[in-house]
Amino acid sequence: MSEAIGPLSGVTVVDLTRVLAGPTCTQMLGDLGADVIKIEKPGAGDDTRRFAPPFLKNDAGEDTSESSYYMGANRNKRSVGLDISKPEGAEIVRRMAMDADALVENFKTGNLARYKLAYDDLKDGNPKLVYCSVTGFGQTGPYAPRPGYDFLIQGMAGLMSITGEPDGEPQKVGVPIADIMAGMYASVSVNAALRHAAVTGQGQYIDIGMMDTTVAMLANAGMNYIHGDMLGRLGNAHPNIVPYQPFRTADGFIIVAIGNDSQFGRFCELAERTDLAADPEYATNDARVRNRDALVPILNEVFAARTSAEWLSGLEEKKIGCGPINNLQEVFDDPHVQARNMVINMDHQLAGDRGADLIASPMKFSGTPVTYRHAPPLVGEHTEEVLREKLSLTDDDLAVLRDKEVI
């Protein structure tokens, strides 16, 4: 493995997260070079280790004990198997936090205070500590005590009300986007707070709620409601741009994204329908949005007259946004995805010579590149290594902790 040279090299993060939102945050910090110490309950570990099948496979093609789900959010971490419900375990985390730069956790609101591991328990001993809590609903408000699940948040924060066909049932996004975006916001927040701590010497508490981050990511749809009282679903159509949706061709579907009036004019030339660009009901995007119900059926007939390949070739030549609708096999076979090295292979002790394929980080730095130092770890894989390194524990110390079933 290459040495840590990322922009967060030298930063230590105590990771008390599990499932997806928190681990997404800490994996990003690890990708950026931070030394992420993942604290897991001995034996069981992160809940997502059992979110399967599918599992990571070994050289014989047999399932190992590691789920694909877990593998996707836990690289560049070292796992310490530690029972924090025991006083000795909680004390070890406190000692680690005293020398750490950041601690990220996603326990239910207030739960870590039971172990004296809340921010107020740690901040005086380490004033520079950046402490980030990721929960379903944040630390305040009437829903704060509730557990947060991606599916619930997508529904409660309105995302499902704007996803899917107009006459269909509410639809969630195909990936746990509320979890992922909460992790993204948490990672950005931790980085900003680390910068502040480096300048001022003062750490701080960060409160990330999945409900908040999902409301924030409503973006233009949320603003359309605030300023235009626009509600409901448009399927694959865009609420503010027309045409910007899939169209059926003679042999399949393509996506067409016409972002301005000039592009619409060039499209009409390609489609041999310059009359549409000249028509005041369709000449501007404002007019096209207002008259989409009349325009889209016309465009459906236009696109049905040629094959997908013919349209894609012509649209690309005219520099008009377009593309196929790929399945996942087509995505990972795509020459652009491959050229961008979006799949990596890491050594993993259970995988054997085949290694573990992972989706790569999309962050590409010219001077401090992302590094892949640790494959997603087994539960407690680095326990003794980390406790010796971070706390200078001896063989005798470790033996006592084993006898007490703390590690």
Side-chain angles (χ1 to χ4, degrees):
M1 296 292 176
S2 55
E3 291 298 319
I5 57 173
L8 293 184
S9 179
V11 169
T12 298
V13 178
V14 176
D15 180 1
L16 287 167
T17 72
R18 59 207 184 284
V19 189
L20 189 57
T24 294
C25 167
T26 51
Q27 176 168 273
M28 291 182 67
L29 300 175
D31 286 349
L32 294 171
D35 181 16
V36 178
I37 309 301
K38 183 179 178 72
I39 307 298
E40 301 188 78
K41 187 173 182 178
D46 194 312
D47 296 347
T48 60
R49 293 178 183 273
R50 294 170 294 285
F51 286 10
F55 292 92
L56 173 70
K57 297 190 183 303
N58 61 22
D59 281 336
E62 301 165 333
D63 288 343
T64 67
S65 60
E66 302 295 80
S67 74
S68 297
Y69 194 118
Y70 164 79
M71 297 287 289
N74 286 286
R75 67 166 170 260
N76 282 333
K77 304 177 185 182
R78 295 192 287 171
S79 175
V80 172
L82 189 65
D83 188 346
I84 67 169
S85 69
K86 297 185 176 180
E88 297 88 347
E91 177 60 22
I92 286 173
V93 175
R94 277 193 292 276
R95 290 178 60 188
M96 284 187 180
M98 292 305 97
D99 291 321
D101 299 284
L103 185 150
V104 184
E105 60 93 6
N106 63 349
F107 281 67
K108 290 181 184 178
T109 299
N111 270 17
L112 281 180
R114 295 185 300 170
Y115 311 118
K116 297 185 179 179
L117 293 175
Y119 178 61
D120 286 344
D121 298 314
L122 304 176
K123 64 181 182 179
D124 291 339
N126 182 0
K128 291 183 66 174
L129 182 66
V130 172
Y131 190 114
C132 179
S133 294
V134 183
T135 57
F137 298 95
Q139 302 296 308
T140 60
Y143 300 160
R146 295 187 184 183
Y149 295 94
D150 175 272
F151 197 3
L152 298 179
I153 300 295
Q154 287 199 41
M156 294 178 70
L159 189 59
M160 290 176 64
S161 77
I162 57 171
T163 304
E165 292 301 319
D167 56 353
E169 66 180 23
Q171 184 66 54
K172 71 179 181 68
V173 178
V175 296
I177 192 68
D179 274 323
I180 293 167
M181 288 303 296
M184 294 278 286
Y185 275 106
S187 178
V188 171
S189 301
V190 169
N191 274 290
L194 286 171
R195 167 63 178 167
H196 179 264
V199 172
T200 67
Q202 292 300 310
Q204 59 187 299
Y205 182 76
I206 301 169
D207 173 9
I208 299 290
M210 291 169 60
M211 182 80 163
D212 299 342
T213 57
T214 307
V215 170
M217 62 177 275
L218 292 175
N220 62 303
M223 293 298 289
N224 288 343
Y225 166 71
I226 290 172
H227 293 281
D229 200 27
M230 293 173 62
L231 297 170
R233 300 182 293 279
L234 290 172
N236 289 313
H238 196 293
N240 306 110
I241 306 173
V242 174
Y244 198 102
Q245 65 186 76
F247 287 97
R248 183 186 290 274
T249 67
D251 61 351
F253 285 90
I254 62 169
I255 292 173
V256 178
I258 295 178
N260 56 51
D261 297 337
S262 175
Q263 290 179 12
F264 185 68
R266 297 200 301 273
F267 160 74
C268 290
E269 293 174 1
L270 175 65
E272 300 178 354
R273 290 297 307 266
T274 54
D275 59 303
L276 296 176
D279 190 327
E281 291 191 350
Y282 309 129
T284 66
N285 183 67
D286 183 308
R288 292 192 295 276
V289 170
R290 296 179 189 277
N291 296 296
R292 77 165 74 227
D293 290 344
L295 177 59
V296 169
I298 297 172
L299 297 182
N300 285 336
E301 292 184 8
V302 169
F303 279 103
R306 303 181 196 175
T307 67
S308 295
E310 289 174 317
W311 278 116
L312 291 174
S313 175
L315 291 166
E316 288 173 5
E317 186 175 336
K318 291 281 189 180
K319 300 188 185 307
I320 296 170
C322 63
I325 301 175
N326 291 332
N327 62 32
L328 295 188
Q329 179 177 342
E330 291 166 333
V331 169
F332 290 109
D333 287 343
D334 189 288
H336 185 80
V337 173
Q338 293 180 353
R340 297 289 287 176
N341 300 312
M342 285 307 299
V343 175
I344 59 168
N345 184 271
M346 298 188 73
D347 292 337
H348 192 286
Q349 61 179 286
L350 297 184
D353 292 339
R354 69 189 295 158
D357 286 338
L358 303 171
I359 298 175
S361 169
M363 298 181 286
K364 302 185 188 301
F365 294 79
S366 64
T368 54
V370 165
T371 59
Y372 302 103
R373 306 173 308 283
H374 305 291
L378 304 180
V379 179
E381 180 177 343
H382 306 95
T383 301
E384 294 192 6
E385 169 190 307
V386 170
L387 296 184
R388 292 177 192 276
E389 175 188 321
K390 298 294 185 181
L391 303 181
S392 301
L393 297 191
T394 65
D395 289 344
D396 289 342
D397 296 328
L398 295 170
V400 170
L401 292 174
R402 281 193 294 271
D403 288 342
K404 294 184 176 181
E405 297 183 338
V406 176
I407 60 174

